[in-house]
Amino acid sequence: MKKYTLIIIIILVAIAGYLYATPKEKLKEFGNPITFNLNQTENFEGGLKVTLSEINDSRCKEGVICIWEGELSPLFKVVGGNMGNISKEIRLGTSRTKSETKDGYVFILESATEKS
């Protein structure tokens, strides 16, 4: 019986060591700029998850006459934290809507490219 007890203890110690040594996902801190790639999700303190789901490019194309220069406008899907369990959308823009406040969070677009 002691032999089985010792084996169980060794297995439990091995499992605990594995769980302790496995790197945990690092949560992003509020207030620090983050570069997103398309379909990338970042997890923040408090359970907030932000995903870049699309980038709309309405800029005036070369050789076309436009009445407005257009802009890049990324769409973020946000869930968790103060937002609750229902996914919400935040659309920012490089010229018109550079920031938006929603449910106590301030989202600010510093820059954007077609790819990220």
Side-chain angles (χ1 to χ4, degrees):
M1 190 61 136
K2 287 184 180 183
K3 184 177 182 181
Y4 294 118
T5 304
L6 181 59
I7 292 173
I8 292 172
I9 290 173
I10 291 172
I11 291 172
L12 291 175
V13 169
I15 292 171
Y18 172 77
L19 293 175
Y20 179 76
T22 302
K24 305 292 184 248
E25 180 179 356
K26 185 169 180 178
L27 299 176
K28 298 297 180 183
E29 295 179 11
F30 295 110
N32 295 327
I34 297 172
T35 300
F36 280 89
N37 291 313
L38 199 55
N39 298 315
Q40 176 182 342
T41 299
E42 292 293 347
N43 298 312
F44 291 83
E45 300 165 347
L48 182 70
K49 294 182 180 189
V50 179
T51 304
L52 174 60
S53 59
E54 74 177 50
I55 302 171
N56 183 33
D57 187 354
S58 65
R59 296 175 299 173
C60 191
K61 307 297 183 225
E62 189 175 324
V64 176
I65 299 173
C66 299
I67 57 170
W68 180 59
E69 67 181 287
E71 68 178 351
L72 290 171
S73 57
L75 177 66
F76 294 91
K77 296 207 177 184
V78 185
V79 67
N82 296 347
M83 300 281 194
N85 292 329
I86 298 174
S87 180
K88 297 181 182 177
E89 294 183 342
I90 307 283
R91 170 120 13 223
L92 300 174
T94 54
S95 61
R96 294 192 296 173
T97 311
K98 290 187 173 219
S99 70
E100 184 174 331
T101 301
K102 191 168 251 179
D103 294 324
Y105 299 109
V106 178
F107 299 88
I108 301 170
L109 180 65
E110 291 184 0
S111 66
T113 65
E114 302 87 13
K115 297 179 184 177
S116 61

